[in-house]
Amino acid sequence: MSAWKQFLASDIIVSPFVVNKGFTFPYSQFATGSDGELVGIDRFIGKNVNWFNDKSTTGTLSTEYQALIYNSAQQLYYSNFLSSSTGDNVAQPVLFPGAGPSGSGDVLIGGVESPLYDNFLQSTLVPDRFWPTGSGEQIAIISVPSKIYGEYITPNSFVLEYPTLNSTITDDGQGNLNISSSVGGFEGYIGNIIYTHGIAILTDNTLPDTLGYTLDDYVTDNDVTCSFSSSMTIYETQYKCTIRENEFNFSLNPSLLSGSEGNVYGFVTASYFSPYVTTVGLYDEMQNLLAIGKLAQPLPTSDTTDTTILINLDM
């Protein structure tokens, strides 16, 4: 049998915490099927061409136009970095409240340098972004779906390995991608990663050209391994079930009744009798059972002190 008691607002505490999970995908596992749906790490080539003249497509799991991949990446992430790797600022007037004659009105004063676009900067540090603007220039994009990376890729966890050319690409925790190779000891900047979008963008061909390959190889070659950690916020709700010393001191268990008339056994009315709690149920306002919490062992209630049972739910 059951007895009900309504929670107060102070009895419910919601606490968020972030959990991480590491993944390593060799190329053979880039694509995974789930209920007929293909989910996995996609790779694209972006090319600076006129879409009307060149409708070349790209993509290992889905199909997109190379021209649109290039233009989309430029607009979203590099539109403020076309002539300067640290950002192209534009002059914008600033509203000065009450600066008119005798404080009669607001006035726009001066020009302040500020970025034209947000471009999803990863930190407050001076960004390092390079975008190739020459005709026919190419970029490479590795796209991780949100079903895998969660809310964002954990900084300092992204690794893209290319064993064929002995090269490794890693992120620096600030959104920059750096390449290193055991061949000739080369290392340096090669692109950027947008942690919250699960997108790694390779834009600089300088070091690959030195090693005798191009960014295309990271998209077309099968000898590539991608590793990263995903991040997800889980909300833990704690319910504080408090039994006062004057509450729930009588059991509703039908086994305490004797005879057809429903009289209780004598020991039930004795002063030493104390009911035990074995299960706590959570109900909605319509008394529909939503969740059940089982105690590890029966817990006796007390008629002298309050008894508190804590229930934690992770969602």
Side-chain angles (χ1 to χ4, degrees):
M1 300 292 291
S2 303
W4 285 272
K5 183 176 181 180
Q6 187 172 0
F7 285 113
L8 301 177
S10 58
D11 296 328
I12 303 175
I13 301 175
V14 179
S15 303
F17 63 94
V18 178
V19 295
N20 299 321
K21 180 178 180 180
F23 293 91
T24 297
F25 291 93
Y27 174 75
S28 60
Q29 298 178 11
F30 269 26
T32 58
S34 175
D35 297 329
E37 181 182 6
L38 195 62
V39 178
I41 300 175
D42 211 345
R43 298 182 292 173
F44 303 97
I45 295 173
K47 192 173 183 180
N48 186 18
V49 294
N50 188 319
W51 179 81
F52 293 99
N53 300 327
D54 189 341
K55 291 184 173 59
S56 300
T57 59
T58 180
T60 55
L61 298 181
S62 59
T63 302
E64 304 289 346
Y65 292 107
Q66 293 184 8
L68 298 186
I69 290 293
Y70 176 92
N71 292 335
S72 296
Q74 174 180 295
Q75 173 67 23
L76 289 173
Y77 308 117
Y78 293 89
S79 52
N80 197 56
F81 297 84
L82 301 182
S83 63
S84 171
S85 62
T86 58
D88 305 321
N89 290 330
V90 294
Q92 294 180 332
V94 175
L95 183 66
F96 196 94
S102 302
S104 59
D106 301 338
V107 176
L108 294 174
I109 297 179
V112 174
E113 299 294 319
S114 62
L116 182 60
Y117 300 99
D118 175 54
N119 287 167
F120 300 97
L121 302 179
Q122 306 299 289
S123 72
T124 57
L125 300 178
V126 176
D128 185 10
R129 293 193 179 183
F130 167 79
W131 186 254
T133 57
S135 178
E137 291 275 15
Q138 292 185 334
I139 63 170
I141 290 181
I142 292 84
S143 177
V144 182
S146 60
K147 289 185 177 180
I148 299 178
Y149 73 77
E151 295 174 350
Y152 59 89
I153 294 177
T154 306
N156 283 317
S157 71
F158 184 83
V159 179
L160 189 66
E161 295 182 284
Y162 196 173
T164 299
L165 297 173
N166 298 311
S167 65
T168 301
I169 294 176
T170 58
D171 76 288
D172 65 353
Q174 303 297 334
N176 299 313
L177 292 175
N178 299 313
I179 184 174
S180 61
S181 175
S182 59
V183 180
F186 293 105
E187 61 180 21
Y189 168 88
I190 192 174
N192 300 93
I193 181 171
I194 312 301
Y195 298 114
T196 53
H197 293 178
I199 291 180
I201 309 172
L202 311 182
T203 62
D204 196 337
N205 264 297
T206 304
L207 286 178
D209 286 344
T210 303
L211 299 173
Y213 63 97
T214 66
L215 297 180
D216 295 3
D217 295 316
Y218 280 95
V219 175
T220 58
D221 201 300
N222 293 343
D223 188 21
V224 177
T225 299
C226 185
S227 303
F228 58 88
S229 290
S230 65
S231 295
M232 178 67 71
T233 301
I234 293 179
Y235 293 89
E236 181 181 73
T237 304
Q238 183 179 87
Y239 298 89
K240 185 174 68 171
C241 307
T242 301
I243 303 174
R244 302 300 181 187
E245 72 277 1
N246 61 339
E247 296 176 331
F248 305 142
N249 287 328
F250 183 82
S251 175
L252 299 178
N253 194 316
S255 64
L256 299 180
L257 302 179
S258 66
S260 59
E261 297 181 0
N263 296 321
V264 297
Y265 287 106
F267 69 87
V268 176
T269 59
S271 60
Y272 59 82
F273 177 79
S274 176
Y276 282 72
V277 178
T278 59
T279 305
V280 178
L282 300 181
Y283 297 79
D284 62 13
E285 63 276 6
M286 301 300 294
Q287 294 187 355
N288 296 313
L289 182 61
L290 304 179
I292 296 177
K294 291 285 188 179
L295 277 66
Q297 60 186 19
L299 177 69
T301 60
S302 173
D303 58 1
T304 57
T305 60
D306 294 347
T307 301
T308 300
I309 302 173
L310 298 180
I311 299 178
N312 295 324
L313 291 179
D314 296 340
M315 301 180 183

